[in-house]
PDB file of all heavy atoms in Angstrom:
ATOM      1  N   SER A  36      21.012  59.738 -69.099  1.00 98.00           N
ATOM      2  CA  SER A  36      22.308  60.341 -69.442  1.00 98.00           C
ATOM      3  C   SER A  36      22.432  60.600 -70.932  1.00 98.00           C
ATOM      4  O   SER A  36      23.351  61.278 -71.370  1.00 98.00           O
ATOM      5  CB  SER A  36      23.461  59.452 -68.967  1.00 98.00           C
ATOM      6  OG  SER A  36      23.537  58.304 -69.775  1.00 98.00           O
ATOM      7  N   VAL A  37      21.506  60.055 -71.729  1.00 98.00           N
ATOM      8  CA  VAL A  37      21.548  60.300 -73.174  1.00 98.00           C
ATOM      9  C   VAL A  37      20.527  61.370 -73.553  1.00 98.00           C
ATOM     10  O   VAL A  37      19.749  61.832 -72.711  1.00 98.00           O
ATOM     11  CB  VAL A  37      21.302  58.994 -73.998  1.00 98.00           C
ATOM     12  CG1 VAL A  37      22.440  58.033 -73.826  1.00 98.00           C
ATOM     13  CG2 VAL A  37      20.001  58.346 -73.622  1.00 98.00           C
ATOM     14  N   GLN A  43      15.968  55.932 -74.747  1.00 98.00           N
ATOM     15  CA  GLN A  43      15.740  56.186 -73.317  1.00 98.00           C
ATOM     16  C   GLN A  43      14.826  57.386 -73.120  1.00 98.00           C
ATOM     17  O   GLN A  43      14.035  57.436 -72.177  1.00 98.00           O
ATOM     18  CB  GLN A  43      17.070  56.395 -72.592  1.00 98.00           C
ATOM     19  CG  GLN A  43      17.916  55.131 -72.555  1.00 98.00           C
ATOM     20  CD  GLN A  43      19.140  55.280 -71.663  1.00 98.00           C
ATOM     21  OE1 GLN A  43      19.176  56.106 -70.756  1.00 98.00           O
ATOM     22  NE2 GLN A  43      20.151  54.473 -71.906  1.00 98.00           N
ATOM     23  N   GLU A  75      25.093  58.703 -64.758  1.00 98.00           N
ATOM     24  CA  GLU A  75      24.236  57.619 -64.287  1.00 98.00           C
ATOM     25  C   GLU A  75      24.509  57.264 -62.818  1.00 98.00           C
ATOM     26  O   GLU A  75      23.603  57.120 -62.022  1.00 98.00           O
ATOM     27  CB  GLU A  75      24.399  56.386 -65.190  1.00 98.00           C
ATOM     28  CG  GLU A  75      23.744  56.600 -66.559  1.00 98.00           C
ATOM     29  CD  GLU A  75      23.798  55.390 -67.476  1.00 98.00           C
ATOM     30  OE1 GLU A  75      24.704  54.542 -67.314  1.00 98.00           O
ATOM     31  OE2 GLU A  75      22.927  55.292 -68.366  1.00 98.00           O
ATOM     32  N   SER A  93      21.315  52.711 -67.816  1.00 98.00           N
ATOM     33  CA  SER A  93      21.857  51.437 -68.276  1.00 98.00           C
ATOM     34  C   SER A  93      22.361  50.698 -67.042  1.00 98.00           C
ATOM     35  O   SER A  93      22.401  51.252 -65.947  1.00 98.00           O
ATOM     36  CB  SER A  93      23.033  51.679 -69.231  1.00 98.00           C
ATOM     37  OG  SER A  93      24.172  52.081 -68.497  1.00 98.00           O
ATOM     38  N   ASN A 148      18.682  49.064 -73.313  1.00 98.00           N
ATOM     39  CA  ASN A 148      19.640  49.986 -73.908  1.00 98.00           C
ATOM     40  C   ASN A 148      19.999  49.477 -75.313  1.00 98.00           C
ATOM     41  O   ASN A 148      20.209  50.252 -76.221  1.00 98.00           O
ATOM     42  CB  ASN A 148      20.857  50.080 -72.989  1.00 98.00           C
ATOM     43  CG  ASN A 148      21.681  51.324 -73.215  1.00 98.00           C
ATOM     44  OD1 ASN A 148      21.188  52.302 -73.766  1.00 98.00           O
ATOM     45  ND2 ASN A 148      22.925  51.283 -72.812  1.00 98.00           N
ATOM     46  N   ARG A 151      25.169  45.868 -77.887  1.00 98.00           N
ATOM     47  CA  ARG A 151      26.330  46.765 -78.005  1.00 98.00           C
ATOM     48  C   ARG A 151      27.293  46.343 -79.115  1.00 98.00           C
ATOM     49  O   ARG A 151      27.527  45.152 -79.339  1.00 98.00           O
ATOM     50  CB  ARG A 151      27.063  46.842 -76.659  1.00 98.00           C
ATOM     51  CG  ARG A 151      26.176  47.332 -75.541  1.00 98.00           C
ATOM     52  CD  ARG A 151      26.881  47.371 -74.203  1.00 98.00           C
ATOM     53  NE  ARG A 151      27.683  48.570 -74.034  1.00 98.00           N
ATOM     54  CZ  ARG A 151      27.259  49.685 -73.436  1.00 98.00           C
ATOM     55  NH1 ARG A 151      26.031  49.770 -72.972  1.00 98.00           N
ATOM     56  NH2 ARG A 151      28.059  50.724 -73.312  1.00 98.00           N
ATOM     57  N   ARG A 172      37.001  53.265 -74.026  1.00 98.00           N
ATOM     58  CA  ARG A 172      36.187  53.607 -72.871  1.00 98.00           C
ATOM     59  C   ARG A 172      35.212  52.464 -72.626  1.00 98.00           C
ATOM     60  O   ARG A 172      34.604  51.947 -73.558  1.00 98.00           O
ATOM     61  CB  ARG A 172      35.407  54.895 -73.135  1.00 98.00           C
ATOM     62  CG  ARG A 172      34.415  55.264 -72.026  1.00 98.00           C
ATOM     63  CD  ARG A 172      33.032  54.657 -72.262  1.00 98.00           C
ATOM     64  NE  ARG A 172      32.134  54.899 -71.134  1.00 98.00           N
ATOM     65  CZ  ARG A 172      30.848  54.578 -71.127  1.00 98.00           C
ATOM     66  NH1 ARG A 172      30.301  54.003 -72.184  1.00 98.00           N
ATOM     67  NH2 ARG A 172      30.102  54.812 -70.071  1.00 98.00           N
ATOM     68  N   MET A 174      32.031  51.057 -69.739  1.00 97.00           N
ATOM     69  CA  MET A 174      31.174  51.482 -68.638  1.00 97.00           C
ATOM     70  C   MET A 174      31.872  51.127 -67.329  1.00 97.00           C
ATOM     71  O   MET A 174      32.813  50.341 -67.311  1.00 97.00           O
ATOM     72  CB  MET A 174      29.813  50.775 -68.719  1.00 97.00           C
ATOM     73  CG  MET A 174      29.036  51.119 -69.985  1.00 97.00           C
ATOM     74  SD  MET A 174      27.259  50.817 -69.810  1.00 97.00           S
ATOM     75  CE  MET A 174      27.211  49.039 -69.676  1.00 97.00           C
ATOM     76  N   PHE A 195      29.330  57.959 -68.938  1.00 98.00           N
ATOM     77  CA  PHE A 195      28.921  58.196 -70.321  1.00 98.00           C
ATOM     78  C   PHE A 195      28.993  59.675 -70.702  1.00 98.00           C
ATOM     79  O   PHE A 195      29.327  60.024 -71.839  1.00 98.00           O
ATOM     80  CB  PHE A 195      27.501  57.674 -70.547  1.00 98.00           C
ATOM     81  CG  PHE A 195      27.039  57.874 -71.951  1.00 98.00           C
ATOM     82  CD1 PHE A 195      27.512  57.071 -72.964  1.00 98.00           C
ATOM     83  CD2 PHE A 195      26.157  58.901 -72.272  1.00 98.00           C
ATOM     84  CE1 PHE A 195      27.114  57.271 -74.277  1.00 98.00           C
ATOM     85  CE2 PHE A 195      25.753  59.109 -73.584  1.00 98.00           C
ATOM     86  CZ  PHE A 195      26.239  58.291 -74.584  1.00 98.00           C
ATOM     87  N   GLU A 211      32.120  51.305 -76.893  1.00 98.00           N
ATOM     88  CA  GLU A 211      31.142  50.347 -77.425  1.00 98.00           C
ATOM     89  C   GLU A 211      29.782  50.703 -76.865  1.00 98.00           C
ATOM     90  O   GLU A 211      29.674  51.074 -75.697  1.00 98.00           O
ATOM     91  CB  GLU A 211      31.572  48.900 -77.148  1.00 98.00           C
ATOM     92  CG  GLU A 211      32.069  48.580 -75.759  1.00 98.00           C
ATOM     93  CD  GLU A 211      30.961  48.537 -74.763  1.00 98.00           C
ATOM     94  OE1 GLU A 211      30.036  47.737 -74.948  1.00 98.00           O
ATOM     95  OE2 GLU A 211      31.018  49.332 -73.784  1.00 98.00           O
ATOM     96  N   ASN A 212      28.770  50.658 -77.718  1.00 98.00           N
ATOM     97  CA  ASN A 212      27.406  51.020 -77.343  1.00 98.00           C
ATOM     98  C   ASN A 212      26.439  50.522 -78.413  1.00 98.00           C
ATOM     99  O   ASN A 212      26.842  50.249 -79.542  1.00 98.00           O
ATOM    100  CB  ASN A 212      27.280  52.552 -77.200  1.00 98.00           C
ATOM    101  CG  ASN A 212      27.117  52.993 -75.746  1.00 98.00           C
ATOM    102  OD1 ASN A 212      26.210  52.536 -75.056  1.00 98.00           O
ATOM    103  ND2 ASN A 212      28.004  53.855 -75.303  1.00 98.00           N
ATOM    104  N   VAL A 216      22.434  54.384 -79.008  1.00 98.00           N
ATOM    105  CA  VAL A 216      23.256  55.342 -78.264  1.00 98.00           C
ATOM    106  C   VAL A 216      24.247  56.030 -79.206  1.00 98.00           C
ATOM    107  O   VAL A 216      24.466  57.242 -79.121  1.00 98.00           O
ATOM    108  CB  VAL A 216      24.001  54.651 -77.100  1.00 98.00           C
ATOM    109  CG1 VAL A 216      24.931  55.631 -76.388  1.00 98.00           C
ATOM    110  CG2 VAL A 216      23.014  54.035 -76.115  1.00 98.00           C
TER     111      VAL A 216
HETATM  112  O1  EAX B  18      22.788  54.601 -70.883  1.00 80.91           O
HETATM  113  O2  EAX B  18      27.335  54.330 -70.418  1.00 80.91           O
HETATM  114  C1  EAX B  18      26.945  53.806 -71.459  1.00 80.91           C
HETATM  115  O3  EAX B  18      27.693  53.466 -72.367  1.00 80.91           O
HETATM  116  C2  EAX B  18      25.463  53.570 -71.637  1.00 80.91           C
HETATM  117  O4  EAX B  18      25.257  52.633 -72.609  1.00 80.91           O
HETATM  118  C3  EAX B  18      24.832  54.877 -72.051  1.00 80.91           C
HETATM  119  O5  EAX B  18      25.091  55.828 -71.089  1.00 80.91           O
HETATM  120  C4  EAX B  18      23.349  54.771 -72.147  1.00 80.91           C
END
Side-chain angles (χ1 to χ4, degrees):
S36 72
V37 293
Q43 293 188 23
E75 288 183 335
S93 75
N148 200 21
R151 302 178 82 94
R172 174 270 174 174
M174 297 201 293
F195 181 75
E211 45 74 59
N212 251 305
V216 176

